[in-house]
Amino acid sequence: MSNAQLILIDKRNQPLKEYLVAVAASDGLQIKGVEVMASPAKGETSLLNAQVIIPPLEDYDFKVPKLVDALLEQLIVEEETLKLAEFIERCSEDDLVRQSLKQSEKRLRKKLEELLKEFCQSEVIDLIRERRNDALYKLKKHSDELKGKKVVCIDIEATNISTDPEADIIQLSACDGHGKPLFNQLINPGYDIPENEKHNITTEMVQNEPSLAQAWDEIHDCLRDADYVLAYSTESDFMYLEKSAEKKMLRFELDYNKWLDVAELSKDLIGALRWHSERMYWFYKTPKLTDAYARILKKPFPGDAHDALADAQATVDLFNEMLQLGKQSQIQEKKKSAAKKEQITNNLFAAAFANAKRK
């Protein structure tokens, strides 16, 4: 007879904060000090310990039993992921010990359910759901607005980030709303391209390519004549174009009001809600293009994530899939409240959170 059992160890130094709930809602979360321990008997050294990963709550519709199932499929032992059955097998070669551990699974599940209820019963969950519904309604409207319109999706590679005044464009690529390439142009900046992990473009690759001034008219007019321009982070791409035109004294007739930011739309739809502890406010973290693509299209990101044309085509695929999600949703426009409540803060997230608490 064995007294071995599975125990949930919780060594947190403070109660679970609601900002942890928000992180787990989109990303999953490993909490330091929360482990599953296989104990041979009370007071004896553990057979084996595993780190607990809180699964992404949204992926399981905030259902605690489903979350427990998922959690027990990914116990972490020394950076190796094990299912509970594998964890038990690893604990001991003694069949009686293994059987005793299996018999204690029901009690472990109950403890895990108590832990996960702290996440799923938080007011923050209402904020997340409201944000997702708003995103679907916005996408539903875009689906109607873009019918029959000329859509161009652009992506840019440059020597540095868009806020650097010395940054120069070294690749400009675009496709139409169906992913068909419109242009894919390497640009010679006139100097050696510094190494940069953001792209794979070398000085040798652009030696025989035109300068931005030489390629500008065709690219500029294609963007100007589009009904809508898409980009994954329109602010940076538009800034590259605007600053380059100013620096090189090129004509600039692009209207930012016609640009749609796919990064912002994906942030609303799947972005992780974070708590900024220093500034004391909530904010949504924008997912990377590769992550948003894999999550929404449910398949790996295709091609090279540092190639402008590949990124533009992936952005179109992502956008079209999000439009479908909006179109298929049953989301209706929210009715405006007759009595507007007094806003107690100039921080929108704080106000939304206060409102959720009142409800």
Side-chain angles (χ1 to χ4, degrees), residues 60-97:
Y60 301 92
D61 196 29
F62 306 98
K63 304 295 185 185
V64 171
K66 291 181 179 180
L67 287 162
V68 172
D69 288 342
L71 184 154
L72 292 175
E73 289 284 306
Q74 51 176 1
L75 297 172
I76 307 299
V77 178
E78 297 180 353
E79 300 184 0
E80 185 180 0
T81 302
L82 300 176
K83 296 179 181 180
L84 179 61
E86 296 170 329
F87 175 76
I88 290 173
E89 290 290 315
R90 188 77 60 89
C91 287
S92 175
E93 294 182 358
D94 188 324
D95 288 338
L96 289 176
V97 171

Side-chain angles (χ1 to χ4, degrees), residues 248-275:
K248 302 179 185 303
M249 293 184 290
L250 305 170
R251 63 191 178 92
F252 190 80
E253 301 164 3
L254 305 184
D255 181 2
Y256 190 66
N257 292 317
K258 294 164 48 176
W259 287 49
L260 284 177
D261 194 338
V262 181
E264 284 295 309
L265 292 168
S266 67
K267 178 179 76 174
D268 290 343
L269 193 61
I270 63 168
L273 185 60
R274 305 287 196 190
W275 174 253

Side-chain angles (χ1 to χ4, degrees), residues 8 23 32 47 50 75 83 101 123 144 151 169 176 182 195 215 240 244 272 296 308 343 345 359:
L8 180 65
V23 173
K32 189 176 181 180
L47 297 168
L75 297 172
K83 296 179 181 180
L101 290 173
E123 294 93 337
D144 293 332
V151 176
I169 295 171
D176 65 15
L182 297 174
E195 288 187 12
Y240 278 130
S244 294
I296 292 175
Q343 188 169 312
T345 174
K359 292 179 181 177

Side-chain angles (χ1 to χ4, degrees), residues 273-289:
L273 185 60
R274 305 287 196 190
W275 174 253
H276 197 303
S277 56
E278 292 179 4
R279 300 181 186 176
M280 301 292 287
Y281 70 83
W282 298 97
F283 71 99
Y284 281 86
K285 183 180 178 182
T286 306
K288 294 179 180 178
L289 172 59

Side-chain angles (χ1 to χ4, degrees), residues 105-162:
E105 181 182 341
K106 187 175 180 180
R107 186 165 55 247
L108 173 65
R109 281 179 171 272
K110 187 175 180 180
K111 290 292 184 182
L112 288 170
E113 285 180 4
E114 291 172 4
L115 172 69
L116 287 164
K117 280 178 183 176
E118 295 185 56
F119 288 79
C120 296
Q121 292 175 354
S122 167
E123 294 93 337
V124 175
I125 303 304
D126 292 333
L127 282 183
I128 295 168
R129 282 175 163 153
E130 183 176 359
R131 182 75 168 228
R132 305 317 187 210
N133 287 340
D134 289 347
L136 288 170
Y137 179 72
K138 193 183 296 183
L139 288 164
K140 193 173 186 177
K141 287 184 66 178
H142 284 319
S143 180
D144 293 332
E145 293 166 355
L146 268 63
K147 287 178 181 176
K149 302 294 184 181
K150 182 181 178 182
V151 176
V152 173
C153 184
I154 186 173
D155 191 72
I156 293 173
E157 299 295 340
T159 55
N160 210 333
I161 58 175
S162 59

Side-chain angles (χ1 to χ4, degrees), residues 188-353:
N188 189 340
Y191 55 82
D192 289 346
I193 296 173
E195 288 187 12
N196 191 316
E197 61 181 17
K198 298 292 185 183
H199 62 77
N200 300 319
I201 301 170
T202 64
T203 303
E204 291 72 27
M205 290 170 63
V206 302
Q207 271 185 343
N208 299 317
E209 300 295 339
S211 67
L212 182 62
Q214 292 170 324
W216 182 258
D217 286 346
E218 179 184 356
I219 293 167
H220 172 274
D221 292 352
C222 180
L223 297 172
R224 182 199 60 191
D225 296 340
D227 295 312
Y228 290 93
V229 178
L230 305 178
Y232 203 84
S233 184
T234 53
E235 186 176 356
S236 60
D237 285 342
F238 193 87
M239 189 182 296
Y240 278 130
L241 294 166
E242 189 175 39
K243 285 187 174 182
S244 294
E246 182 180 353
K247 185 164 59 175
K248 302 179 185 303
M249 293 184 290
L250 305 170
R251 63 191 178 92
F252 190 80
E253 301 164 3
L254 305 184
D255 181 2
Y256 190 66
N257 292 317
K258 294 164 48 176
W259 287 49
L260 284 177
D261 194 338
V262 181
E264 284 295 309
L265 292 168
S266 67
K267 178 179 76 174
D268 290 343
L269 193 61
I270 63 168
L273 185 60
R274 305 287 196 190
W275 174 253
H276 197 303
S277 56
E278 292 179 4
R279 300 181 186 176
M280 301 292 287
Y281 70 83
W282 298 97
F283 71 99
Y284 281 86
K285 183 180 178 182
T286 306
K288 294 179 180 178
L289 172 59
T290 50
D291 294 340
Y293 184 98
R295 181 158 183 161
I296 292 175
L297 278 84
K298 296 179 173 54
K299 60 182 181 180
F301 186 87
D304 185 355
H306 299 304
D307 176 77
L309 182 58
D311 285 357
Q313 290 174 320
T315 298
V316 162
D317 289 344
L318 171 62
F319 180 66
N320 287 336
E321 184 66 20
M322 288 196 295
L323 288 182
Q324 279 298 111
L325 292 175
K327 188 176 179 180
Q328 292 167 5
S329 72
Q330 303 300 314
I331 302 298
Q332 300 295 323
E333 186 173 13
K334 290 182 294 187
K335 293 181 181 179
K336 294 182 180 178
S337 177
K340 187 177 180 182
K341 291 177 181 174
E342 182 182 358
Q343 188 169 312
I344 59 172
T345 174
N346 60 359
N347 186 306
L348 296 179
F349 286 112
F353 183 65

